[in-house]
């Protein structure tokens, strides 16, 4: 409830919703949280939550200060030919890390996932539902989940080696050098022979 | 100094050396620390440090509870033909992670490196000097440093995806499935066209 004698303004409502969302996501994970539950905890109407934040994914992005919106990223991921998908994903990924503010938030996400199992699970579920799942369906392959995971494993390792541990040859490499080294790896994971059943 | 009236035993001396080593490595990094400096801090003769621990690398392994000794691992890495090196590295790496006790210590090393920049730098220097450097020289290639780093980036990412975040398709995969998926990547990083200078 708001302090006596003061009507809650737009800012109060917004931050009450964000507080409630953080609590719900932490308690119930990404899948287990609904807009309705967040609205109930914030004592507001669910329609108001939708009005401020849109879908659950967008509310999650705002509540945990996630570095980018999957919805903003997906179109770039899905356009173009399948034969270029490896390079496209890599350039998109490096582009996110190139922005200082985004990089700081990406680092915070990695640190938190490596440190807390619950944060890792929440991150995995969120990315599965909102980004990887949609992308994987476009691969139209029975082993799409494994392929997406292989791609993810190389991208995580690249980020840690280049931006966290700062191994000199990778930290100094240009985007174009990284594309030559890594794009064929990602492309093979997406569409090459990775020996699956 | 030992408490009055009690002669320091073997255990006291050993743990005094380990305490001194931890302090020196933390203050001066791996490269900046000498056996002589550790001996001085522990008020013992450098010969005694050598007697208990051997080389600086072994003392580092004991002091920071590093998960494996580079000296124990190098021979397996270096034997065999260059065309199989990717698979050999991968099997060695997975073998380390398969042991529960080693896995716990590897996880601790990763968490600490991701969390503290100084720990990441120390880890990088130690691995460079004692493991990667020796291996890289066997590649006999002007771009060996970059190649070793590309390999490292995939191994770190695989470990985080499989053992930390536990992405289901990777967490459930057998060693043989991982070899089919990852060995060609590592082999290409070691000896294929990665577009360098």
């Amino acid at each position: 409830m708001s302090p006596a004698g003061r009507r809650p303004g737009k800012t109060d409502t917004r931050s009450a919703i964000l507080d409630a969302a953080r609590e719900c996501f932490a308690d119930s994970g990404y899948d287990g949280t609904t807009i309705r539950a967040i609205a109930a905890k914030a004592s507001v109407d669910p329609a108001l939550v939708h009005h401020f934040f849109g879908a659950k994914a967008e509310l999650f992005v705002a509540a945990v200060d996630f570095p980018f919106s999957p919805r903003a990223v997906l179109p770039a991921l899905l356009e173009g030919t399948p034969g270029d998908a490896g390079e496209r994903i890599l350039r998109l990924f490096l582009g996110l890390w190139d922005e200082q503010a985004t990089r700081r938030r990406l680092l915070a996400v990695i640190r938190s996932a490596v440190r807390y199992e619950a944060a890792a699970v929440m991150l995995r579920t969120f990315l599965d539902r909102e980004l990887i799942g949609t992308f994987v369906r476009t691969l139209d392959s029975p082993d799409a989940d494994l392929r997406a995971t292989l791609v993810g494993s190389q991208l995580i390792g690249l980020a840690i080696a280049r931006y966290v541990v700062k191994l000199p040859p990778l930290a100094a490499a240009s985007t174009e050098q990284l594309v030559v080294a890594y794009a064929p790896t990602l492309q093979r994971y997406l569409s090459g022979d990775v020996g699956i059943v």
Side-chain angles (χ1 to χ4, degrees), chain A:
Chain A
M1 304 300 291
S2 59
R6 195 163 72 84
R7 278 190 58 184
K10 193 175 161 182
T11 313
D12 301 284
T13 308
R14 205 175 179 282
S15 67
I17 293 171
L18 288 175
D19 285 343
R22 274 186 285 266
E23 273 191 62
C24 288
F25 286 128
D27 289 347
S28 315
Y30 186 73
D31 269 0
T33 295
T34 60
I35 292 277
R36 182 168 296 276
I38 293 168
K41 189 170 287 266
S43 307
V44 302
D45 192 274
L48 197 63
V49 178
H50 279 294
H51 168 72
F52 275 126
F53 296 99
K56 183 167 82 167
E58 303 304 312
L59 179 49
F60 180 84
V61 167
V64 309
D65 195 29
F66 195 76
F68 60 90
S69 160
R71 282 195 184 189
V73 160
L74 258 181
L77 212 61
L78 299 176
E79 76 194 4
T81 60
D84 299 332
E87 177 170 342
R88 214 156 55 236
I89 291 171
L90 183 62
R91 287 189 186 277
L92 185 72
F93 184 77
L94 294 171
L96 288 171
W97 282 91
D98 277 346
E99 279 177 57
Q100 285 301 325
T102 309
R103 180 185 301 190
R104 260 198 311 278
R105 290 152 78 197
L106 285 165
L107 284 173
V109 165
I110 286 185
R111 291 205 162 95
S112 159
V114 168
R115 205 165 153 198
Y116 304 109
E117 174 117 21
V121 171
M122 183 150 67
L123 177 66
R124 179 175 80 206
T125 314
F126 170 67
L127 288 176
D128 248 18
R129 292 286 173 278
E130 306 298 342
L131 187 62
I132 301 166
T134 310
F135 174 67
V136 153
R137 280 192 292 278
T138 70
L139 293 178
D140 197 20
S141 158
D143 47 23
D145 278 332
L146 174 58
R147 291 182 183 278
T149 310
L150 293 172
V151 168
S153 77
Q154 178 58 90
L155 293 179
I156 294 176
L158 166 56
I160 290 189
R162 178 168 158 95
Y163 302 107
V164 180
V165 184
K166 295 175 187 157
L167 296 173
L170 279 189
S174 68
T175 298
E176 298 312 312
Q177 287 175 314
L178 295 174
V179 166
V180 175
Y182 285 110
T185 299
L186 302 185
Q187 193 60 48
R188 180 174 153 267
Y189 290 162
L190 288 173
S191 58
D193 175 17
V194 289
I196 310 157
V197 208

PDB file of all heavy atoms in Angstrom, chain A residues 65-78:
ATOM      1  N   ASP A  65      17.180  -6.541 -15.522  1.00  0.00           N
ATOM      2  CA  ASP A  65      18.140  -5.734 -16.274  1.00  0.00           C
ATOM      3  C   ASP A  65      18.895  -6.611 -17.282  1.00  0.00           C
ATOM      4  O   ASP A  65      20.123  -6.535 -17.396  1.00  0.00           O
ATOM      5  CB  ASP A  65      19.121  -5.047 -15.322  1.00  0.00           C
ATOM      6  CG  ASP A  65      19.892  -3.919 -16.016  1.00  0.00           C
ATOM      7  OD1 ASP A  65      19.345  -3.319 -16.953  1.00  0.00           O
ATOM      8  OD2 ASP A  65      21.048  -3.676 -15.636  1.00  0.00           O
ATOM      9  N   PHE A  66      18.146  -7.475 -17.974  1.00  0.00           N
ATOM     10  CA  PHE A  66      18.762  -8.338 -18.973  1.00  0.00           C
ATOM     11  C   PHE A  66      19.317  -7.466 -20.106  1.00  0.00           C
ATOM     12  O   PHE A  66      18.720  -6.460 -20.468  1.00  0.00           O
ATOM     13  CB  PHE A  66      17.737  -9.352 -19.519  1.00  0.00           C
ATOM     14  CG  PHE A  66      18.378 -10.474 -20.275  1.00  0.00           C
ATOM     15  CD1 PHE A  66      19.026 -11.496 -19.607  1.00  0.00           C
ATOM     16  CD2 PHE A  66      18.365 -10.496 -21.658  1.00  0.00           C
ATOM     17  CE1 PHE A  66      19.646 -12.531 -20.305  1.00  0.00           C
ATOM     18  CE2 PHE A  66      18.974 -11.520 -22.362  1.00  0.00           C
ATOM     19  CZ  PHE A  66      19.620 -12.538 -21.689  1.00  0.00           C
ATOM     20  N   PRO A  67      20.476  -7.857 -20.678  1.00  0.00           N
ATOM     21  CA  PRO A  67      21.205  -6.954 -21.570  1.00  0.00           C
ATOM     22  C   PRO A  67      20.516  -6.633 -22.897  1.00  0.00           C
ATOM     23  O   PRO A  67      20.844  -5.635 -23.516  1.00  0.00           O
ATOM     24  CB  PRO A  67      22.522  -7.704 -21.843  1.00  0.00           C
ATOM     25  CG  PRO A  67      22.628  -8.718 -20.763  1.00  0.00           C
ATOM     26  CD  PRO A  67      21.243  -9.072 -20.363  1.00  0.00           C
ATOM     27  N   PHE A  68      19.626  -7.509 -23.365  1.00  0.00           N
ATOM     28  CA  PHE A  68      18.958  -7.196 -24.632  1.00  0.00           C
ATOM     29  C   PHE A  68      17.597  -7.866 -24.652  1.00  0.00           C
ATOM     30  O   PHE A  68      17.343  -8.809 -23.896  1.00  0.00           O
ATOM     31  CB  PHE A  68      19.798  -7.657 -25.831  1.00  0.00           C
ATOM     32  CG  PHE A  68      20.051  -9.144 -25.844  1.00  0.00           C
ATOM     33  CD1 PHE A  68      19.172 -10.007 -26.482  1.00  0.00           C
ATOM     34  CD2 PHE A  68      21.170  -9.687 -25.209  1.00  0.00           C
ATOM     35  CE1 PHE A  68      19.403 -11.379 -26.487  1.00  0.00           C
ATOM     36  CE2 PHE A  68      21.409 -11.054 -25.212  1.00  0.00           C
ATOM     37  CZ  PHE A  68      20.524 -11.907 -25.853  1.00  0.00           C
ATOM     38  N   SER A  69      16.728  -7.355 -25.527  1.00  0.00           N
ATOM     39  CA  SER A  69      15.418  -7.970 -25.670  1.00  0.00           C
ATOM     40  C   SER A  69      15.464  -9.025 -26.776  1.00  0.00           C
ATOM     41  O   SER A  69      15.797  -8.715 -27.918  1.00  0.00           O
ATOM     42  CB  SER A  69      14.384  -6.895 -26.014  1.00  0.00           C
ATOM     43  OG  SER A  69      13.258  -7.514 -26.594  1.00  0.00           O
ATOM     44  N   PRO A  70      15.118 -10.269 -26.460  1.00  0.00           N
ATOM     45  CA  PRO A  70      15.116 -11.312 -27.488  1.00  0.00           C
ATOM     46  C   PRO A  70      14.284 -10.914 -28.701  1.00  0.00           C
ATOM     47  O   PRO A  70      14.642 -11.212 -29.836  1.00  0.00           O
ATOM     48  CB  PRO A  70      14.489 -12.504 -26.761  1.00  0.00           C
ATOM     49  CG  PRO A  70      14.817 -12.295 -25.330  1.00  0.00           C
ATOM     50  CD  PRO A  70      14.788 -10.810 -25.131  1.00  0.00           C
ATOM     51  N   ARG A  71      13.172 -10.199 -28.460  1.00  0.00           N
ATOM     52  CA  ARG A  71      12.322  -9.797 -29.580  1.00  0.00           C
ATOM     53  C   ARG A  71      13.017  -8.847 -30.535  1.00  0.00           C
ATOM     54  O   ARG A  71      12.741  -8.811 -31.720  1.00  0.00           O
ATOM     55  CB  ARG A  71      11.074  -9.091 -29.055  1.00  0.00           C
ATOM     56  CG  ARG A  71      10.127 -10.094 -28.546  1.00  0.00           C
ATOM     57  CD  ARG A  71       8.764  -9.520 -28.361  1.00  0.00           C
ATOM     58  NE  ARG A  71       7.970 -10.582 -27.765  1.00  0.00           N
ATOM     59  CZ  ARG A  71       6.671 -10.536 -27.601  1.00  0.00           C
ATOM     60  NH1 ARG A  71       6.012  -9.481 -27.983  1.00  0.00           N
ATOM     61  NH2 ARG A  71       6.049 -11.549 -27.063  1.00  0.00           N
ATOM     62  N   ALA A  72      13.900  -8.020 -29.985  1.00  0.00           N
ATOM     63  CA  ALA A  72      14.607  -7.062 -30.830  1.00  0.00           C
ATOM     64  C   ALA A  72      15.694  -7.771 -31.640  1.00  0.00           C
ATOM     65  O   ALA A  72      16.085  -7.308 -32.709  1.00  0.00           O
ATOM     66  CB  ALA A  72      15.227  -5.961 -29.963  1.00  0.00           C
ATOM     67  N   VAL A  73      16.157  -8.897 -31.145  1.00  0.00           N
ATOM     68  CA  VAL A  73      17.295  -9.585 -31.736  1.00  0.00           C
ATOM     69  C   VAL A  73      16.850 -10.646 -32.749  1.00  0.00           C
ATOM     70  O   VAL A  73      17.525 -10.892 -33.746  1.00  0.00           O
ATOM     71  CB  VAL A  73      18.129 -10.227 -30.594  1.00  0.00           C
ATOM     72  CG1 VAL A  73      19.019 -11.334 -31.112  1.00  0.00           C
ATOM     73  CG2 VAL A  73      18.951  -9.150 -29.881  1.00  0.00           C
ATOM     74  N   LEU A  74      15.700 -11.266 -32.486  1.00  0.00           N
ATOM     75  CA  LEU A  74      15.260 -12.402 -33.299  1.00  0.00           C
ATOM     76  C   LEU A  74      15.177 -12.118 -34.810  1.00  0.00           C
ATOM     77  O   LEU A  74      15.643 -12.931 -35.611  1.00  0.00           O
ATOM     78  CB  LEU A  74      13.911 -12.925 -32.806  1.00  0.00           C
ATOM     79  CG  LEU A  74      13.967 -14.198 -31.948  1.00  0.00           C
ATOM     80  CD1 LEU A  74      12.567 -14.610 -31.553  1.00  0.00           C
ATOM     81  CD2 LEU A  74      14.664 -15.350 -32.675  1.00  0.00           C
ATOM     82  N   PRO A  75      14.580 -10.984 -35.221  1.00  0.00           N
ATOM     83  CA  PRO A  75      14.452 -10.762 -36.673  1.00  0.00           C
ATOM     84  C   PRO A  75      15.794 -10.849 -37.392  1.00  0.00           C
ATOM     85  O   PRO A  75      15.908 -11.514 -38.431  1.00  0.00           O
ATOM     86  CB  PRO A  75      13.868  -9.347 -36.760  1.00  0.00           C
ATOM     87  CG  PRO A  75      13.151  -9.156 -35.469  1.00  0.00           C
ATOM     88  CD  PRO A  75      13.944  -9.908 -34.452  1.00  0.00           C
ATOM     89  N   ALA A  76      16.836 -10.228 -36.823  1.00  0.00           N
ATOM     90  CA  ALA A  76      18.159 -10.268 -37.457  1.00  0.00           C
ATOM     91  C   ALA A  76      18.691 -11.703 -37.518  1.00  0.00           C
ATOM     92  O   ALA A  76      19.408 -12.080 -38.449  1.00  0.00           O
ATOM     93  CB  ALA A  76      19.139  -9.383 -36.684  1.00  0.00           C
ATOM     94  N   LEU A  77      18.319 -12.491 -36.515  1.00  0.00           N
ATOM     95  CA  LEU A  77      18.772 -13.874 -36.454  1.00  0.00           C
ATOM     96  C   LEU A  77      18.099 -14.711 -37.533  1.00  0.00           C
ATOM     97  O   LEU A  77      18.699 -15.624 -38.113  1.00  0.00           O
ATOM     98  CB  LEU A  77      18.398 -14.430 -35.076  1.00  0.00           C
ATOM     99  CG  LEU A  77      19.294 -15.474 -34.441  1.00  0.00           C
ATOM    100  CD1 LEU A  77      20.666 -14.900 -34.233  1.00  0.00           C
ATOM    101  CD2 LEU A  77      18.700 -15.920 -33.115  1.00  0.00           C
ATOM    102  N   LEU A  78      16.839 -14.402 -37.809  1.00  0.00           N
ATOM    103  CA  LEU A  78      16.029 -15.272 -38.668  1.00  0.00           C
ATOM    104  C   LEU A  78      16.072 -14.882 -40.138  1.00  0.00           C
ATOM    105  O   LEU A  78      15.741 -15.691 -41.003  1.00  0.00           O
ATOM    106  CB  LEU A  78      14.571 -15.269 -38.179  1.00  0.00           C
ATOM    107  CG  LEU A  78      14.376 -15.782 -36.747  1.00  0.00           C
ATOM    108  CD1 LEU A  78      12.920 -15.659 -36.321  1.00  0.00           C
ATOM    109  CD2 LEU A  78      14.838 -17.232 -36.623  1.00  0.00           C
TER     110      LEU A  78
END
